[in-house]
Amino acid sequence: MNPGGLRGVLDVSNATWALSERSVLQPMWDYLQENHESTLRSPLFPVVLSVSMYLVLVFFYTVLDLLAPTWPSIRRYQIHQDRTVTWSNIGSTLALTTYNHLLYIFPAAVAQWLWRPPVPLPREAPTLTAFLLGILGCTVVFDFQYYLWHLLHHRVAWLYRTFHALHHQYRQPFSLVTQYLSAWELFSVGFWTTMDPLLLQCHCLTAWAFMLFNIWVSTEDHCGYDFPWAMHRLVPFGLWAGAVRHDAHHQQPATNFAPFFAHWDWLGGTATMPAPVKTKMEKEKDEKEA
């Protein structure tokens, strides 16, 4: 085959790949626009989407927390198997979450709805590559931003006492601790989650997916469980910190500052691997032997 013919085959192959890649998300995007365009264009939509996702996740993990004391099949995956999440714990964390959303999130969302025009929607969906790379890029940027914020708020005593100490009232986190935050920390996290897709010029579908992914992995980090399908077990080479390492941060607050990836703590010398947590039976055995 002559070079011109080979080049033509490659051009056709690349065009076919680009067309097939774009067609993956386009039918879903067409359906959403045809049937839910007014909802998608509303400035309230991202808020409702994120709050709904969070409530679904914490409901799931809270049910597990309530069943764990009597269900060994659930308790075996708890990081702290002697820990019991009480109704008092649930009530106090849920009360602050509700307070923050009613006092800050809801008014901001209503103001945005009143003053911001409906969001224009692009006719074409992102390619699958752009969609996935956009989520990854936003996650990497957010991870770096929060690592610096988190490190600063631990190293500066006034910042820690004023804004971050509230989150560390629980040394053994559970899912509702995810948003057991001061208003400043909640605003910082929400600001980056909103701005990072704009900074990277992501499609709105990518931005919403990143928002849901961010909430999912943030809740998983605080859930208190080490499931076989957890992100830190799926991502190879120990690149993802995950629930076990973030739980160690609540035990040893001078370590493991990055929310998602592990590389910033490796580079900064703040990484630690938690010691294996003994089960209740192992602790009782040690006490008997002593």
Side-chain angles (χ1 to χ4, degrees):
M1 183 181 291
N2 61 61
L6 178 60
R7 195 160 40 245
V9 171
L10 291 176
D11 289 342
V12 171
S13 177
N14 290 337
T16 303
W17 166 251
L19 182 62
S20 63
E21 188 189 21
R22 186 174 299 280
S23 66
V24 172
L25 297 175
Q26 192 64 48
M28 179 185 68
W29 184 238
D30 290 340
Y31 170 81
L32 290 174
Q33 290 193 94
E34 290 170 8
N35 296 277
H36 306 285
E37 183 175 7
S38 60
T39 300
L40 297 177
R41 294 186 67 193
S42 171
L44 287 176
F45 174 70
V47 178
V48 173
L49 183 68
S50 60
V51 171
S52 300
M53 178 69 166
Y54 181 67
L55 291 177
V56 168
L57 288 170
V58 297
F59 177 78
F60 169 72
Y61 283 119
T62 301
V63 169
L64 295 184
D65 290 335
L66 295 173
L67 294 176
T70 55
W71 288 40
S73 58
I74 298 174
R75 188 171 64 248
R76 65 190 288 241
Y77 293 112
Q78 284 187 311
I79 297 172
H80 302 280
Q81 295 184 13
D82 57 348
R83 178 205 70 178
T84 300
V85 177
T86 65
W87 282 107
S88 176
N89 298 146
I90 295 170
S92 61
T93 49
L94 192 57
L96 181 63
T97 300
T98 304
Y99 174 84
N100 281 339
H101 280 75
L102 290 178
L103 194 65
Y104 303 111
I105 304 299
F106 181 70
V110 171
Q112 192 177 37
W113 175 58
L114 291 173
W115 296 326
R116 181 181 174 186
V119 179
L121 299 178
R123 301 313 302 174
E124 291 190 350
T127 64
L128 184 60
T129 299
F131 179 76
L132 296 175
L133 287 179
I135 296 172
L136 176 61
C138 290
T139 303
V140 170
V141 173
F142 179 94
D143 188 67
F144 176 63
Q145 291 165 332
Y146 190 78
Y147 173 78
L148 294 180
W149 187 100
H150 201 185
L151 182 67
L152 183 66
H153 282 68
H154 273 272
R155 296 292 170 84
V156 179
W158 179 81
L159 291 176
Y160 180 81
R161 288 194 310 269
T162 308
F163 300 115
H164 192 54
L166 177 67
H167 184 65
H168 278 272
Q169 287 183 7
Y170 289 93
R171 297 189 69 249
Q172 298 177 356
F174 52 99
S175 62
L176 278 162
V177 176
T178 308
Q179 292 194 11
Y180 192 71
L181 307 171
S182 67
W184 167 240
E185 184 164 1
L186 185 65
F187 171 80
S188 300
V189 170
F191 178 77
W192 293 324
T193 305
T194 303
M195 293 305 298
D196 288 346
L198 297 176
L199 180 68
L200 298 184
Q201 299 181 346
C202 295
H203 191 282
C204 53
L205 189 62
T206 307
W208 298 332
F210 164 65
M211 184 185 305
L212 295 180
F213 178 73
N214 192 318
I215 294 169
W216 166 38
V217 291
S218 297
T219 307
E220 184 186 76
D221 272 1
H222 293 86
C223 73
Y225 291 89
D226 184 9
F227 288 119
W229 57 82
M231 279 291 292
H232 68 277
R233 294 188 176 276
L234 300 178
V235 177
F237 312 119
L239 294 175
W240 195 265
V244 176
R245 291 189 185 182
H246 191 74
D247 185 274
H249 169 71
H250 279 255
Q251 303 287 318
Q252 306 172 54
T255 63
N256 294 351
F257 295 111
F260 303 144
F261 293 103
H263 62 280
W264 291 118
D265 284 300
W266 293 341
L267 294 172
T270 54
T272 186
M273 283 298 294
V277 179
K278 292 185 177 182
T279 65
K280 189 175 181 180
M281 293 180 62
E282 289 172 335
K283 289 181 179 179
E284 291 175 352
K285 181 179 178 181
D286 290 344
E287 290 173 358
K288 289 179 180 179
E289 291 177 351

